[in-house]
Structures are given as C-alpha cells and as structure tokens.
C-alpha cells in the first residue's frame, strides 16, 4: 500500500529551508509564547515564516496571535491565515475550539495529515510549537519534518522543568535534531541563572534569560499581534535567538 | 479543491514507484475513506487528467469508497459514517474532510456519549494493487 501523503510531504518540505522546533519537557514554561514571538521576529526581519502548532491537546498559537481568519482551501492545499507576515497553522483552526481526544497512533495520523494538506508555500523558517513532553507529536515531527532543522529548549529555573528539559535534550539529540540551546523563561529579575549553570551539564548552550513580563498577558490574543514585539519579552528573546545564530 | 491535492499526490506517488521500477503503470486501485468525504467521481476524473503524459497514462484506474467504522474506546460500540456525522454542520464536516480524526472533536458515541472515538476504517486515501509493466 502506498501513502500518497508521503509524496505531498516531500513537496512541502522542499519549500522549507529550515525547521525550528520549540520544545521543552514541562508544560507552562512559555514554549508557545516563545514559538509565536520567534515567528513574529523572523517575519519582521524579512524571512518568509510559518508557525505550526503541534500541541494537539492544548493548542494556543491561535489565541496568542489573535488569529480570527479561517484557512483557505485552494488547489495547492489548505493555506493558513497570515498574521503580521506569519502563516499560522493549528489544529484548532479546524477543531474550532473543541477538545481533541486522541490516542497515540491517531496523533501521528493527525500530524501527518496536517503536514500533508497545509500549503505554507516557500518558507525560510517553519517554527514548530511542540507540546510538553517527548511523545507522539515530537516523534512524528522528527519523523516527517526532515531536512535542515534545529531545536530551542525552553525552561524555567524550576528543578522540575530543568529535569524535563534534560530529558528533552537527550531525546532530541537521539532523534538527530540539533539542539541550538536552552532559553530560560520567567527568570527572576535579579540573581544568577541556575539554568546557565546547568546548561553545561546538559551539553547545551545557554542562550539567555527572559525576565517575567507581567505586561504580556494583557497583549496575548488582542488584535495587533505585532504589539507583542514591543515587549521586554520580545527584546530578551531576540537576544537569545541571536546567540542561537538566527539571522534577525 | 482538496480533491486536486489528493489526486496530484496519488499520481506523484504512483509515478515515483513506476520510475523506480523503470516501467509503466498498467493498473492501480484507490480506496477513498468515507470520512474524508472526497468526491469520488471528481478524484477519478482528476486522476485521468493528471495521468496524461506520465507513466500512468492509459492505466486502468479504479476508485472505490472504503466504508468508515468508528469505535468507542469507552464502551466498544461501533458507528457507521452516517451515524458519526449525523447532525453535524457544514463547517464540522469540512474539518473532518481535511483531518478525519477530528470526528472525535465533534461526534459522540451513540451508546454512552463518550468522545473517545477511534477511527478503525475509512479514514483517508490508500493506493493499492499497483501493477507496473516493462520494468527491469
């Protein structure tokens, strides 16, 4: 039996220069915000950028960026809506806010189907927002999103988050994905960085710390996602991404 | 229009197989899962059109519907396509058309009301029984 989606996937991937996975083992550390603002920063720098939300059970990219348009069906596939120059695709655009109960094998089918039907078009960067953990979504992304790719690992200074990040880094490397480094989010305003100290133990580069930004919550989901770029969060993230080697 | 993307993927896949074997395609079958809600007649028409000037040109193409079967993981009850999508609106059906697993977002088990629905059969598109002739 032949799966026609493999052919479509190959075509789609040929148009994507670099896949940037944003992960981390723990939930609630700000991966989705990092992924969303990273995609905005890349687009603002002139890169053709797509954002793919693979957090199937808790998609939040649409809410963060205030996406209201539906994807368009064309002869090339499903064309995601554009926000501030970023093409944004999420299962939530199809599930329309409904929960999506899925078991393991079904998750892989969903990831493959979304990748096959989504027509991002030519992209310099496809930023992928991964769910917490090292489960089916990550494994499927690693399996189907081949080519030039790297990962940012987002953590807080919490020992639980650091422990989960260490496991994520191990799995990412095992899957042949380059780990660009660790980003500390929600960092305390003062004091040294625990994350910076342990990054070396993980064999990963420390990219920088993003202080807790109380203003963010007020902007998330509001129209004009570009205002997220005016935050301290965005400025600190930009510095970290420059350390990671992204052309911003 | 989703039919066009699917048909072009099918033609590309079969052509690649024929190319790897160095032959031409004599025949192949396409099973279209009921949950994908694709227009079978249109898929067949597009396959013929897109096959022109390719190793698939002149091949006998059969396009059939694969009946859907949805099983509830909570109580084990089984549902047909019609039972699963009964009462769903146009937008919900369209979402399932693109990603069949979304049936579990919109439908509920008719027996116990659970959302834990698993697509057992008839989800997507399969290419089977490809016969290639003249290969090395």
């Amino acid at each position: 039996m032949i799966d026609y989606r493999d052919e479509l996937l190959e075509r789609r991937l040929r148009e994507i220069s670099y896949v940037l996975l944003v992960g981390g083992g723990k939930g609630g550390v700000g991966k989705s915000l990092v992924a969303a603002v990273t995609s905005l920063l890349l687009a603002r720098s002139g890169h053709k950028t797509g954002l793919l939300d693979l957090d199937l059970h808790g998609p939040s990219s649409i809410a963060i960026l205030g996406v209201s348009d539906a994807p368009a069906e064309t002869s090339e596939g499903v064309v995601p809506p554009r926000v501030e120059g970023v093409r944004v695709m999420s299962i939530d655009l199809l599930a329309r806010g409904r929960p999506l109960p899925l078991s393991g094998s079904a998750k892989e089918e969903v990831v493959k189907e979304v990748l096959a039907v989504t027509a991002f078009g030519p992209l310099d960067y496809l930023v992928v927002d991964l769910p917490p953990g090292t489960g089916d979504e990550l494994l499927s992304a690693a399996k189907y999103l081949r080519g030039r790719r790297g990962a940012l690992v987002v953590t807080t200074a919490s020992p639980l988050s650091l422990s989960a990040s260490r496991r994520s880094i191990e799995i990412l490397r095992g899957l042949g994905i380059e780990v660009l480094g660790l980003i500390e989010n929600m960092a305390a305003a003062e004091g040294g960085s625990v994350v910076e100290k342990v990054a070396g133990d993980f064999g990963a580069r420390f990219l920088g710390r993003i202080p807790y930004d109380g203003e963010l919550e007020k902007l998330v989901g509001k129209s004009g996602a570009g205002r997220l770029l005016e935050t301290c969060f965005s400025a600190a993230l930009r510095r970290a991404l420059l350390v990671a080697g992204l052309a911003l | 229009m989703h039919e066009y993307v699917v048909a072009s993927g099918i033609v590309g896949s079969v052509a690649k197989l024929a190319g790897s074997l160095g032959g031409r395609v004599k025949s192949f079958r396409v099973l279209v899962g009921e949950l994908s809600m694709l227009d079978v007649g249109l898929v067949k028409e597009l396959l013929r059109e897109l096959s022109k000037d390719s190793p698939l040109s002149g091949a006998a193409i059969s396009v059939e519907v694969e009946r859907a079967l949805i099983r509830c993981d909570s109580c084990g009850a089984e549902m047909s396509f019609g039972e699963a999508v009964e009462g769903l609106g146009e937008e919900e059906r369209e979402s399932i058309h693109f990603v069949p697993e979304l049936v579990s977002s919109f439908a509920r088990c008719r027996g116990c009301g659970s959302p834990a629905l698993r697509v057992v059969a008839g989800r997507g598109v399969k290419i089977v029984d490809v016969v290639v002739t003249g290969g090395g």
Side-chain angles (χ1 to χ4, degrees):
Chain A
M1 188 179 74
I2 302 173
D3 190 336
Y4 80 101
R5 294 174 299 179
D6 293 329
E7 168 69 14
L8 290 179
L9 274 168
E10 262 185 46
R11 283 188 218 168
R12 308 287 190 210
L13 283 177
R14 275 199 293 269
E15 295 190 310
I16 299 171
S17 300
Y18 192 87
V19 175
L20 180 62
L21 302 161
V22 179
K26 200 84 176 70
V29 298
K31 291 183 295 297
S32 295
L33 263 171
V34 167
V37 177
T38 295
S39 66
L40 291 173
L41 285 164
L42 287 166
R44 190 182 65 175
S45 299
H47 300 294
K48 289 179 186 145
T49 306
L51 173 62
L52 175 65
D53 189 345
L54 283 188
D55 191 346
L56 303 180
H57 297 299
S60 52
S61 299
I62 298 303
I64 290 170
L65 295 176
V67 179
S68 53
D69 295 336
E73 186 181 358
T74 73
S75 61
E76 293 301 312
V78 176
V79 177
R82 196 197 294 265
V83 177
E84 301 289 335
V86 179
R87 291 269 181 211
V88 187
M89 185 60 182
S90 164
I91 195 68
D92 207 25
L93 287 169
L94 300 173
R96 301 165 202 277
R98 304 270 302 181
L100 181 55
L102 289 174
S103 61
S105 60
K107 282 190 210 176
E108 182 177 347
E109 287 291 346
V110 171
V111 172
K112 190 171 187 181
E113 200 75 43
V114 168
L115 290 172
V117 303
T118 305
F120 281 105
L123 292 179
D124 298 314
Y125 287 96
L126 176 63
V127 180
V128 181
D129 180 13
L130 292 168
T134 51
D136 295 279
E137 295 89 335
L138 169 61
L139 298 177
S140 301
K143 183 174 173 182
Y144 297 119
L145 290 169
R146 299 220 164 254
R148 287 186 64 222
R149 56 191 187 175
L152 298 170
V153 176
V154 184
T155 183
T156 66
S158 143
L160 294 176
S161 177
L162 286 170
S163 168
S165 296
R166 185 182 49 75
R167 286 194 290 267
S168 282
I169 289 169
E170 191 178 330
I171 295 291
L172 286 163
R173 289 205 173 116
L175 293 168
I177 298 168
E178 181 190 8
V179 176
L180 300 178
L182 268 171
I183 294 177
E184 179 183 356
N185 192 24
M186 296 186 248
E190 293 173 3
S193 171
V194 178
V195 180
E196 185 170 10
K197 285 178 190 152
V198 300
D201 299 338
F202 297 173
R205 191 160 38 150
F206 177 68
L207 300 177
R209 59 205 310 248
I210 304 174
Y212 177 78
D213 186 346
E215 293 299 302
L216 267 181
E217 280 296 319
K218 295 175 192 165
L219 296 175
V220 164
K222 300 287 190 307
S223 62
R227 290 174 64 197
L228 288 168
L229 291 174
E230 297 162 13
T231 58
C232 298
F233 176 92
S234 172
L237 174 59
R238 184 173 180 276
R239 287 192 291 273
L241 296 175
L242 286 170
V243 175
L246 299 190
L248 294 171
Chain B
M1 276 183 281
H2 190 40
E3 282 80 359
Y4 184 89
V5 182
V6 172
S8 71
I10 293 170
V11 170
S13 302
V14 178
K16 184 180 282 178
L17 176 69
S20 69
L21 297 173
R24 293 190 66 81
V25 181
K26 185 180 176 191
S27 62
F28 66 96
R29 291 168 62 218
V30 176
L31 304 178
V32 176
E34 220 175 356
L35 273 172
S36 70
M37 289 180 265
L38 291 165
D39 180 333
V40 173
L42 181 55
V43 170
K44 191 163 185 174
E45 194 182 317
L46 287 165
L47 287 175
R48 294 216 174 283
E49 186 62 31
L50 295 170
S51 294
K52 287 177 184 169
D53 304 320
S54 83
L56 285 71
S57 177
I61 304 171
S62 159
V63 184
E64 303 153 38
V65 173
E66 183 189 37
R67 297 286 167 216
L69 180 66
I70 296 114
R71 184 173 295 140
C72 174
D73 273 347
S74 297
C75 75
E78 292 182 340
M79 290 191 287
S80 67
F81 168 76
E83 289 168 334
V85 302
E86 186 182 8
L88 298 186
E90 195 60 37
E91 287 190 340
E92 287 128 347
R93 283 171 182 249
E94 189 180 75
S95 293
I96 295 169
H97 164 65
F98 289 120
V99 182
E101 279 70 22
L102 284 169
V103 70
S104 61
S105 282
F106 302 114
R108 293 292 176 263
C109 173
R110 288 164 69 92
C112 70
S114 168
L117 303 178
R118 182 190 300 270
V119 179
V120 179
R123 68 162 306 282
V125 175
K126 298 172 190 163
I127 308 165
V128 295
D129 301 335
V130 183
V131 178
V132 176
T133 57

